[in-house]
Amino acid sequence: MDLNTLRNSFLGRLLTEPADMAAFLTDWRGKWTGRAIAVAQPDNTEGVATVMRWCHAHRVPVVPQGGNTGLSGGATPDTDGLALVLSLTRLNKVRHIDPVNNTIEVDAGVTLQQVQEAAREAGRLFPLSLAAQGSCTIGGNLATNAGGVQVLRYGNARALCLGLEVVTAEGEIWDGQRGLRKDNTGYDLRDLYIGSEGTLGVITQAVLQLFPLPASQVVAFVAVPSPAAAIALLQLAQARLGSSLTAFELMSDACIALVEKHVDAARLPLAERSDWYVLLEVSDTQGESEAGEAIEGLLEAGMEQELATDAALSSSLSQFKALWALREDISESQGAEGKTIKHDISLPISNIAGFVTQTSEALSEAFPGQRLVVFGHLGDGNLHFNLSPSPDRCGTEHVAEFLALEAPINTLVHDAVMVHQGSISAEHGLGVLRRDESARYKSPVELKLMRAIKTALDPLNLMNPGKLLP
Amino acid sequence: MDLNTLRNSFLGRLLTEPADMAAFLTDWRGKWTGRAIAVAQPDNTEGVATVMRWCHAHRVPVVPQGGNTGLSGGATPDTDGLALVLSLTRLNKVRHIDPVNNTIEVDAGVTLQQVQEAAREAGRLFPLSLAAQGSCTIGGNLATNAGGVQVLRYGNARALCLGLEVVTAEGEIWDGQRGLRKDNTGYDLRDLYIGSEGTLGVITQAVLQLFPLPASQVVAFVAVPSPAAAIALLQLAQARLGSSLTAFELMSDACIALVEKHVDAARLPLAERSDWYVLLEVSDTQGESEAGEAIEGLLEAGMEQELATDAALSSSLSQFKALWALREDISESQGAEGKTIKHDISLPISNIAGFVTQTSEALSEAFPGQRLVVFGHLGDGNLHFNLSPSPDRCGTEHVAEFLALEAPINTLVHDAVMVHQGSISAEHGLGVLRRDESARYKSPVELKLMRAIKTALDPLNLMNPGKLLP
C-alpha cells in the first residue's frame, strides 16, 4: 500500500499527519475517537472514484464523512486504524438551480445552510432544517435521511431528493442525477443509498426538490394540559389548516425551564406555567394577517375544547425567532446542564400519550431522581425522550453514577417503544450508537434481507464497516 | 411436482382448469396472453408464504397478480407455461384505520377504491386516484408505484406508504408493517419492494398514509396558448396557491375533440377552441368560496400575463365531475377511435415545452399523417405523449400499417426523452412492454446494481422472471 501513489492519483488532498487528521477522527461531541491510515479529501467525483478504486484494490475500509456532525458515530473510524476517512467537504459546488422545475443540483459536501441560501436567492424554499445546518453537509443529511422541524409538511431528506450520484464500493460512478418526480424504470436505488449511512456507497451529488417561498409565517407558543391534549390539538390543526401547518412541536415545562436557565434572553411568553407546551407554525401563500387569523381561529376552537389554556403569537420576525428559539435551544441547554441520556424515538401518533405516561411512570419507579426532558416533532410522531440528573445531582461527582444508568434506561425506554410499535431511531440513524440495540429488536428476516443487500453492493465489506449492521 | 399436495397445504383456491385460469392469463387489454401450471389464490399471508415455499422448493417461477389492470404486461405469465400465477385478490381485508395517526392498514388485494371509501368513512382522504381504481389492487399499485391525478400534492404510491408486509422469494414473511413517519433503522426495504413489479417478493399488506378530507374542491378548465404558457401558469399557481393546488393537467385540443366525439355528454365548456387546455384543481380546508376566490385570482393574474385566454370554473359537484371527465375520458376515447401508440414519459418541467415542440415536429416530418394526442400530469412533468392514425386512416384496413410504425416511433420519442433528461416510464412501470428499451437506455453501472439486488433477494430468479430486467 503506497499512500504516495494514492496521493498523486487524484485531485485534492490526502492527509496523513496525526495533527492534520485529528479533526476527522473524533465526532463533534467528542463521543467517539478512532484512527485511520489517512484522510482523503478529493475535489470531485472522479477523485472519489479514484480513492474508492484504490481502497477496493488494497482492501482498505472506507469511512465516508460529511460535516462530521452526526449523533450516532456513523462517520468516525474505529480504533484499529486500518480504515481511510473519505471526507466529502471539498465537493462543495452548487451546480444548478432550475426554478421552473423547482430543483437544485448540488455536490455532497455543500452545507445544508448553503443549499437553503442558494434556494432562497432563487426565490425558492429548501425546507430541510435542523440544528447543525451551518456545518452538516447535504451528503450526510441524505446518508442519514435527516429529519428536523419541517418534516410534517415537507418530509425528511429522502422525500426531498429526486436524484443521486453515487460512487459504488468498487469505485464505479452511478449517475442517477435525475430531476424527475416520476420515474418507474427499475429498482429504487436512490432510496436504498439514502439512509444507508455510507455502508453501501458514497453519495457525491444530489438533485433536490424546491418549493415556493411562503409569503408569511406565523408561530404560536401554546400551553396545553397534556400530551393527549396536544395530539387532539394536532388533529384539529390538520383539519383546519391542512398543509399550511408546517411545524407542530411538543415540549415539557422541564425543557423550557432549562432554556430559561441557560439562555439569557429566553423567557416563557405566557403569564402562567403549564406542564406542556406546543409550538406550531403556519406558512401561508397569502399575507401574515391570513396566517395569523388561521392560527387565532384554531386556538379559539382549541381553547373551547380545553385542548389549550393560553397562547402567544408572533407578530414580528423577532418574536417569530424568539418563540422558535425556546424550542431550538432545548438540546443545547440540556447539554449545558450536565450529562444527558438521549432517545430519538418515533411512534404512531395515536400511541404517544400512552407511551409518555406509562414510560415516565416506569422510569421514575425504576430510576428515581432523574429528570425527564421530553420534546420533539409531535406532528411526525418523533420524540426526543431524554433524561438529565435531578438538579442536585448535576455536579461532576455524580456523572459516573448517572452514566451507569444509561444502558438499563435505554433498555427500559426502547422496550417500551417496541411495545408501542415505534422505532428506536427516528432521525439520527444507527451508526455505532444504536447498531446492536437495533439488531436486537429487528426480526431475523429483516436482518437477513439487510445483510443480503449489504453483500450484494459491498461484497468485500469495505464501506463503513461496523456501522448500521453488526 | 404434485399440485394436489400444494392445493391441500394452504387456505384458498388453486385453479388448474384452463377455463378457470383464463382470466388470469391475459391482461385486461388483451395485449399479452400466457400460460401457467396453476393459479393460486391464497386467503391470507400464511397461504402466500406456503405457496412461495412450495414454488421455491420446486423451482417454479411465480407471477404475482393484483387486479390485472397493469399497462405494461407485468402481471401476465409468459408462454412457456412453467410459472404459477399468484393472485392476491382474496387477501381483501381492510384491517385497521387509525384516524389519529392518519393511517390505514390493508391487505394487498383490497381495491384502490375500497381503500378510498374506507378512508372517507373515517373522515379521511386516501389521495391515490387513477382510472382503474375500481379494479386495481393496492398491492399492484405499490408493486408498480402507481401515479395518477393527485401526485402533484400527495406524491405517488411510494410516498403514501409507511409500512409493508412482504413474502420473500424463499417464502419467509417480512413484517415491515409500521405506521411511522420517521424510522431510520436500516436499509429502506420498503421502497425497494415498492416499484419492483413483483420481481423481488410479494407484497401482502401495507400501512398507508391518510390526510384530512378537503372541505372544498374547485376545478377550472382553462384555455392556454401553448405548453410554455401552461408551465408559466403552473409556476404562478404554485406561488399563489401552494399546496392547495392538488392537480394541474395539460391536454391538447385533439384530446378534447376525441372526447367530444366518443362521449355523448362531453362538450367544451368554453366559447372558443384553443390549441391547449389546462385543468387545475384547488382543494381547500376552508369553504368553496375561498377555493373559488383563490382560483379566480390566479386566472385573473394568468390572463393579465397572457398565459390563459379563457376559463370555466366548477360551481357544483356535477360541474366539477363534468370538467374532470373531459380529462379522464381522453384515454378511453382515444381507444374508441382506433389503435394507439402510447408513451408514458416524464421530463424536468423546464424541458417540457422544448420537448413537445421539437418532438412533434420530428414526428410529423418522419411519420406524416399521424395524430398527436398529448395530455398528462403537467405538475409532475408526466406526459402521455400518444399517437392515433389520422382520421381518414382509422379503419381496420390501415391497422397493420399504423402498428408497423410503433417501434420506430417509440425509438424517436424515447431518444428525444433521453436528450431532454427524462424517463420512458413515468407511472406505468416496465413489465415486458418497456423492459428491453429501458435496459438499452440505462447505464451499465445501473443495470449491474439492479442485477446485484435481484440476485441478492431472488437468487433462483423465480420472482416474475423476464419482467422489469431483461
Side-chain angles (χ1 to χ4, degrees), chain B residues 11-63:
Chain B
L11 221 58
R13 302 200 302 178
L14 188 78
L15 313 176
T16 47
E17 291 301 314
D20 297 337
M21 295 201 289
F24 300 89
L25 303 181
T26 298
D27 72 302
W28 70 284
R29 292 194 293 173
K31 230 174 139 78
W32 296 275
T33 298
R35 293 163 56 229
I37 57 162
V39 174
Q41 292 194 289
D43 285 354
N44 53 31
T45 300
E46 275 309 327
V48 174
T50 303
V51 171
M52 291 299 299
R53 282 195 302 274
W54 184 89
C55 288
H56 191 257
H58 294 87
R59 307 294 192 257
V60 171
V62 178
V63 180

Side-chain angles (χ1 to χ4, degrees), chain B residues 161-429:
Chain B
C161 180
L162 296 181
L164 281 186
E165 180 189 76
V166 169
V167 175
T168 69
E170 294 175 32
E172 295 189 294
I173 299 169
W174 171 53
D175 178 3
Q177 277 289 77
R178 296 159 197 157
L180 303 173
R181 281 162 183 80
K182 285 181 171 176
D183 179 22
N184 281 344
T185 59
Y187 302 143
D188 186 5
L189 300 174
R190 177 192 65 202
D191 288 322
L192 192 55
Y193 286 114
I194 293 174
S196 68
E197 303 186 28
T199 65
L200 299 178
V202 183
I203 294 171
T204 48
Q205 280 189 38
V207 179
L208 307 166
Q209 284 202 74
L210 302 178
F211 295 83
L213 274 174
S216 60
Q217 290 185 299
V218 176
V219 72
F221 190 91
V222 190
V224 297
S226 64
I231 288 162
L233 187 65
L234 171 66
Q235 309 297 306
L236 200 62
Q238 288 178 318
R240 294 178 67 107
L241 306 172
S243 52
S244 63
L245 181 71
T246 40
F248 198 99
E249 304 280 314
L250 176 75
M251 60 221 101
S252 69
D253 192 46
C255 300
I256 299 303
L258 281 172
V259 175
E260 288 174 302
K261 180 170 168 190
H262 294 285
V263 179
D264 277 352
R267 52 187 47 86
L268 183 72
L270 307 172
E272 284 182 37
R273 302 202 81 83
S274 170
D275 285 349
W276 296 90
Y277 308 97
V278 157
L279 181 145
L280 66 90
E281 183 191 78
V282 169
S283 301
D284 207 307
T285 51
Q286 300 181 55
E288 212 137 289
S289 64
E290 279 82 359
E293 269 170 41
I295 288 197
E296 275 168 25
L298 165 71
L299 292 175
E300 215 167 281
M303 287 186 193
E304 234 164 65
Q305 296 177 37
E306 299 182 1
L307 306 176
T309 55
D310 196 7
L313 257 74
S314 68
S315 63
S316 67
L317 186 62
S318 67
Q319 286 179 5
F320 179 87
K321 285 183 176 169
L323 292 178
W324 259 118
L326 287 172
R327 162 65 186 86
E328 283 170 342
D329 291 342
I330 296 171
S331 195
E332 224 174 295
S333 302
Q334 198 193 358
E337 181 79 352
K339 288 289 169 188
T340 59
I341 297 176
K342 297 190 171 188
H343 306 101
D344 167 40
I345 64 173
S346 70
L347 298 156
I349 292 168
S350 43
N351 290 351
I352 285 181
F355 170 86
V356 170
T357 309
Q358 289 163 36
T359 312
S360 304
E361 277 172 18
L363 276 173
S364 70
E365 206 165 290
F367 307 98
Q370 312 312 324
R371 237 186 309 176
L372 264 172
V373 180
V374 176
F375 61 101
H377 317 294
L378 190 69
D380 318 322
N382 178 193
L383 291 184
H384 300 300
F385 199 81
N386 296 353
L387 291 97
S388 286
S390 61
D392 57 321
R393 304 183 81 79
C394 281
T396 46
E397 69 277 23
H398 298 293
V399 165
E401 178 194 338
F402 179 69
L403 290 185
L405 300 178
E406 182 155 13
I409 285 179
N410 285 350
T411 301
L412 188 155
V413 171
H414 290 158
D415 283 356
V417 167
M418 288 298 125
V419 169
H420 289 85
Q421 301 166 287
S423 163
I424 67 162
S425 184
E427 57 177 14
H428 295 169

Side-chain angles (χ1 to χ4, degrees), chain A residues 372-395:
Chain A
L372 264 174
V373 180
V374 176
F375 60 101
H377 316 295
L378 190 68
D380 317 323
N382 178 193
L383 291 184
H384 300 301
F385 199 81
N386 297 352
L387 292 98
S388 287
S390 61
D392 57 321
R393 304 184 81 81
C394 280

Side-chain angles (χ1 to χ4, degrees), chain A residues 267-285:
Chain A
R267 53 185 47 84
L268 183 72
L270 307 173
E272 284 182 39
R273 303 203 79 84
S274 171
D275 284 348
W276 295 91
Y277 307 98
V278 157
L279 183 145
L280 66 90
E281 184 190 78
V282 168
S283 301
D284 207 307
T285 51

